[in-house]
């Protein structure tokens, strides 16, 4: 069989492997909010979310008929409208009565034709007794209306008289009820964020609606929004307080107290988990902090954002035996833009040792023990004595303290971070500084104008007259002199 719920999706029994409902289909003559309550009860008892979904759809339909626009159907929207002074101008009062009575179908939900208003008014009186979720509107609809002189000439039958339009207060009360019930439906479906929005909207419209506060507290507890949960519990207790200010014991108050207990347990568990996470993170960060302390505070080295890289896993320094710092090095050839990398260099290593390993101790083209650079067709970099090494002073802005470097060493440099460009003027203008090969790596890093751009970087030039080497060297020194 197919669901007979109006305004909702259809469910052919042949496409869903679910048992036949143990309840009769909804009565389409009932107002939408009453049908929604029936669907919600069936869904809760059968433990089938399908019926709860149908209930949500019916609540949406009823709320859309009450709203100035069908797009504004959330609890927060209704609460904001309520704070703004009730219904907007242009909201037809008979449309609100039609929502309470369920006489306007989905095709007429946004229309204000004369036929729709007449149908809504005629059905309101007949459905008033069944609209349990709209008692205030139903009572207003059932109230007698003064008869005109023309009415006195009739046969005395006043059953056809349309009810008076609902007041803004009655509409607000109906909205609060619908929002609170829809919040319960969303709670059943696990839509906690929507449930919290609807429950808070209902509570804003009717602060004495204890169920709305209770449902808001439950949704906030599930969302781990502790402060919102506390506020909802406090407001809920105030809503059931007696004339003497003391809240009655038992019933809903006991439910709020149970929620408070669950809140306290959840907060304690969250704090414990957070403390454990912080402790684990601190333990994992400890080696990085020790290394950063050695670099920044003890050795007074300055480290800035990276400009070059030798590979994602080989860009970081490391500490040997708690005393000796090792760092990868990058050598850049301005003539070709090519680079060479040394993966591990001790701070105690002299720079000459690495140059000897790269270029040999004499002519790299002599015995062939050191291969020539593939792009050096003129052989300008074959003779070891022609090689010169430079670094760029104040290459980037250094990190302010050891803690900042520890974060970088622990988590890595943030993706997309760009190093500050070297300054061309002023006391911290970038300059090409020649490296004395007798210096150790630690001595180079300790120089006041040396800032490590992520990893130590050096520029390799040749003073040989072969090829373009001499011209490249001259231009590099002029631009960075």
């Amino acid at each position: 069989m197919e669901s007979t719920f109006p305004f909702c999706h259809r469910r052919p029994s042949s496409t869903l492997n679910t048992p036949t409902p143990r309840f009769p289909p909804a009565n389409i003559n009932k107002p939408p909010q009453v049908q929604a309550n029936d669907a919600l009860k069936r869904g809760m008892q059968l433990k089938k979310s399908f019926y709860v979904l149908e209930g949500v759809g019916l609540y949406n339909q009823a709320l859309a008929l009450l709203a100035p626009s069908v797009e504004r159907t959330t609890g927060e929207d209704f609460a904001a409208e309520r704070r703004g002074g009730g219904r907007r101008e242009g909201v037809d009062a008979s449309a609100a009565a039609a929502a309470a009575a369920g006489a306007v179908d989905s095709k007429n939900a946004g229309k204000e034709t004369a036929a729709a208003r007449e149908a809504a008014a005629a059905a309101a009186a007949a459905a008033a007794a069944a609209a349990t979720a709209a008692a205030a509107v139903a009572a207003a609809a059932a109230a007698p209306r003064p008869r005109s002189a023309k009415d006195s000439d009739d046969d005395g039958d006043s059953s056809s008289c349309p009810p008076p339009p609902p007041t803004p207060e009655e509409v607000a009360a109906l909205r609060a009820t619908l929002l609170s019930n829809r919040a319960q439906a969303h709670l059943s479906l696990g839509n906690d964020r929507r449930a919290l929005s609807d429950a808070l909207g209902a509570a804003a419209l009717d602060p004495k609606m204890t169920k709305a506060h209770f449902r808001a507290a439950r949704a906030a507890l599930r969302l781990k929004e502790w402060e919102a949960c506390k506020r909802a519990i406090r407001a809920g207790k105030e809503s059931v307080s007696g004339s003497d200010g003391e809240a009655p014991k038992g019933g809903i108050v006991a439910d709020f107290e149970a929620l408070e207990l669950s809140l306290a347990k959840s907060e304690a568990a969250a704090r414990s988990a957070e403390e454990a996470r912080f402790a684990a993170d601190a333990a994992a960060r400890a080696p990085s902090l020790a290394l950063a302390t050695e670099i920044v505070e003890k050795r007074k080295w300055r480290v800035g954002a990276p400009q070059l890289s030798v590979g994602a896993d080989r860009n970081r320094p490391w500490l040997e035996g708690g005393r000796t710092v090792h760092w990868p090095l990058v050598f850049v050839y301005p003539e070709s833009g090519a680079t060479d990398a040394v993966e591990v260099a001790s701070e105690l290593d002299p720079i000459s040792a690495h140059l000897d390993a790269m270029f040999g101790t004499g002519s790299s083209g002599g015995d062939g023990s050191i291969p020539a650079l593939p792009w050096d067709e003129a052989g300008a970099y074959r003779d070891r004595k022609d090689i010169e090494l430079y670094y760029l002073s104040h290459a980037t802005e250094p990190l302010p303290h050891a803690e900042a470097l520890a974060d970088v060493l622990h988590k890595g440099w943030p993706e997309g971070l760009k190093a500050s460009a070297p300054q061309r003027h002023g006391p911290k203008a970038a300059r090409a500084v020649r490296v004395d090969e007798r210096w150790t790596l630690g001595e180079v890093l300790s120089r006041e104008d040396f800032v490590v751009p992520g990893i130590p970087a050096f520029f390799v030039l040749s003073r040989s007259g072969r090829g373009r080497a001499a011209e490249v060297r001259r231009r590099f020194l002029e631009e960075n002199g």
Side-chain angles (χ1 to χ4, degrees):
M1 60 177 288
E2 291 187 358
S3 170
T4 58
F5 286 48
F7 324 125
C8 295
H9 53 277
R10 303 292 180 177
R11 182 188 63 164
S13 58
S14 59
T15 60
L16 292 180
N17 186 19
T18 55
T20 303
R22 293 179 295 169
F23 296 89
N27 184 352
I28 61 174
N29 295 321
K30 290 183 179 181
Q33 66 272 18
V34 178
Q35 296 181 49
N37 282 325
D38 293 343
L40 178 60
K41 291 177 182 178
R42 281 194 296 275
M44 297 285 285
Q45 293 182 30
L46 284 175
K47 305 299 182 184
K48 297 293 184 181
S49 62
F50 175 80
Y51 298 106
V52 185
L53 282 170
E54 288 185 325
V56 171
L58 289 167
Y59 285 128
N60 292 342
Q61 170 69 15
L63 286 165
L65 292 173
L66 287 174
S69 171
V70 294
E71 289 84 11
R72 296 177 64 255
T73 58
T74 67
E76 294 171 349
D77 290 331
F78 286 133
E81 180 191 343
R82 178 65 170 168
R83 290 192 298 269
R87 295 182 302 170
R88 287 185 176 180
E89 295 181 3
V91 180
D92 191 77
S94 61
V104 180
D105 61 14
S106 59
K107 294 182 180 179
N108 293 328
K111 299 181 180 179
E112 296 184 357
T113 62
R117 290 195 295 271
E118 292 176 2
T132 57
V137 178
R145 180 184 178 185
R147 301 182 62 188
S148 63
K150 183 178 180 180
D151 295 331
S152 302
D153 297 335
D154 293 336
D155 57 359
D157 184 8
S158 61
S159 61
S160 61
C161 294
T167 64
E169 289 73 17
E170 293 169 336
V171 173
L174 177 57
R175 287 179 178 174
T177 300
L178 292 173
L179 286 171
S180 178
N181 288 348
R182 191 171 70 174
Q184 177 58 47
H186 281 309
L187 280 172
S188 301
L189 295 173
N191 300 333
D192 300 326
R193 180 62 60 187
R194 290 180 177 271
L196 179 60
S197 174
D198 281 350
L200 291 177
L205 291 169
D206 186 0
K208 288 295 183 181
M209 183 173 287
T210 307
K211 286 185 177 181
H213 296 298
F214 182 76
R215 290 161 182 169
R218 285 185 59 198
L221 180 62
R222 291 184 182 181
L223 293 170
K224 298 182 180 180
E225 296 184 4
W226 316 127
E227 294 303 319
C229 183
K230 291 176 183 177
R231 288 194 298 269
I233 292 175
R234 185 164 54 250
K237 285 187 172 182
E238 291 175 357
S239 70
V240 296
S241 61
S243 58
D244 56 354
E246 294 292 333
K249 300 299 180 183
I252 189 65
V253 176
D255 293 337
F256 277 117
E257 291 175 350
L259 265 183
E260 282 183 313
L261 181 61
S262 298
L263 172 62
K265 292 181 179 180
S266 298
E267 275 191 299
R271 280 195 301 269
S272 298
E274 189 72 7
E275 291 172 358
R277 186 182 67 82
F278 279 135
D281 187 68
R285 185 175 178 269
S288 298
L289 180 59
L291 176 57
T293 302
E294 288 285 338
I295 291 175
V296 177
E297 296 183 359
K298 294 185 178 181
R299 288 165 175 75
K300 306 301 180 182
W301 296 348
R302 287 156 293 279
V303 182
Q307 296 174 339
L308 300 170
S309 173
V310 295
D313 298 330
R314 299 178 294 174
N315 282 336
R316 302 179 183 181
W318 57 281
L319 192 62
E320 180 185 15
R323 293 185 298 179
T324 305
V325 177
H326 295 259
W327 219 317
L329 305 179
V330 171
F331 295 89
V332 182
Y333 299 91
E335 182 171 344
S336 65
T339 60
D340 276 334
V342 175
E343 294 187 7
V344 179
S346 169
E347 63 177 316
L348 304 178
D349 293 343
I351 297 299
S352 59
H354 293 286
L355 293 179
D356 289 344
M358 294 169 60
F359 300 99
T361 57
S363 173
S364 60
D367 57 6
S369 59
I370 304 297
L373 298 173
W375 49 267
D376 183 23
E377 297 179 357
Y381 294 82
R382 291 181 182 177
D383 291 336
R384 172 71 173 81
K385 61 181 178 60
D386 292 332
I387 302 300
E388 294 179 346
L389 201 64
Y390 293 82
Y391 70 83
L392 203 60
S393 65
H394 306 292
T396 186
E397 189 69 22
L399 294 174
H401 44 69
E403 289 287 342
L405 180 58
D407 289 337
V408 168
L409 295 176
H410 177 50
K411 300 179 181 178
W413 294 95
E415 292 186 7
L417 176 67
K418 293 183 179 179
S420 58
Q423 299 181 23
R424 293 301 178 185
H425 305 283
K428 292 187 177 181
R431 298 286 187 268
V433 180
R434 185 173 177 180
V435 177
D436 188 332
E437 296 182 7
R438 295 171 296 179
W439 293 343
T440 64
L441 176 60
E443 290 174 333
V444 176
L445 299 180
S446 297
R447 294 179 64 85
E448 292 184 359
D449 59 356
F450 192 95
V451 181
V452 179
I455 58 175
F458 300 95
F459 298 88
V460 182
L461 297 172
S462 174
R463 57 174 175 246
S464 168
R466 304 184 188 96
R468 298 175 50 248
E471 176 63 21
V472 170
R473 177 178 178 274
R474 182 189 63 79
R475 188 169 62 249
F476 178 84
L477 294 178
E478 287 180 355
E479 293 177 353
N480 299 283

